[in-house]
Each structure stands twice: as structure tokens, then as C-alpha cells.
């Protein structure tokens, strides 16, 4: 398994835009729990990895900014445990 490429804010917004069927500029900063679950599932499936995300981290993912921060950390930790 190769380590996935780090995701940036634009990547997360593009993923949410595609999932929501709207232009990237219309993706709101606040994201719902279903979007969070979808993001985690999609990233894990695309890269063949399992992300270790705590309940506290999940709570932080209620915004695009929080999702980017948590996912960067989680992707950095893949394979280090």
C-alpha cells in the first residue's frame, strides 16, 4: 500500500462539491455529519487505508477547515501505528 497524497482544502471542497452536485464555490464552510462520514469513507476506499479518527476529531470535522486539519493529521499517521 502506498501512502496517500496529502489533501488540501481545495481537494476536500472538490470532493464535497462532486458529492453534493454543486459548484465548489457553493460548498458551505459548515458540513454535516453525513458529509463527514462520506468523506472518511471515500478517502479510505480510494487509498485502501483505514483512518484512525477519534470522537473529538470527528466533532472538529463539522467545518471544511476542521475536516482539512483532521484529515491531514490522520493521513500523516497512516501506517505509523
Amino acid at each position: 500500500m502506498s501512502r496517500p497524497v496529502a489533501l488540501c482544502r481545495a481537494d476536500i471542497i472538490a470532493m464535497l462539491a462532486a458529492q453534493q452536485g454543486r459548484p465548489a464555490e457553493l460548498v458551505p464552510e459548515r458540513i454535516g455529519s453525513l458529509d463527514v462520514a462520506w468523506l472518511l469513507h471515500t478517502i479510505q476506499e480510494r487509498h485502501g487505508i483505514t483512518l484512525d479518527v477519534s470522537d473529538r476529531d470527528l466533532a472538529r470535522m463539522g467545518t471544511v477547515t476542521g475536516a482539512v486539519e483532521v484529515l491531514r493529521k490522520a493521513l500523516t499517521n497512516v501506517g505509523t501505528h
Side-chain angles (χ1 to χ4, degrees), residues 2-77:
S2 64
R3 189 176 203 154
V5 178
L7 296 173
C8 68
R9 182 179 179 83
D11 296 326
I12 299 299
I13 290 174
M15 290 173 68
L16 289 167
Q19 189 264 340
Q20 296 170 359
R22 64 172 82 187
E25 59 272 6
L26 295 181
V27 172
E29 175 63 17
R30 282 214 86 36
I31 57 177
S33 59
L34 290 177
D35 291 322
V36 170
W38 179 86
L39 274 173
L40 289 169
H41 172 75
T42 299
I43 291 167
Q44 292 178 117
E45 287 292 310
R46 283 184 185 174
H47 298 287
I49 58 173
T50 300
L51 296 174
D52 185 21
V53 180
S54 69
D55 289 342
R56 183 176 177 197
D57 287 337
L58 285 173
R60 290 181 49 219
M61 291 180 72
T63 63
V64 172
T65 300
V68 170
E69 292 169 359
V70 169
L71 290 169
R72 280 184 183 160
K73 177 183 155 196
L75 288 168
T76 300
N77 292 330

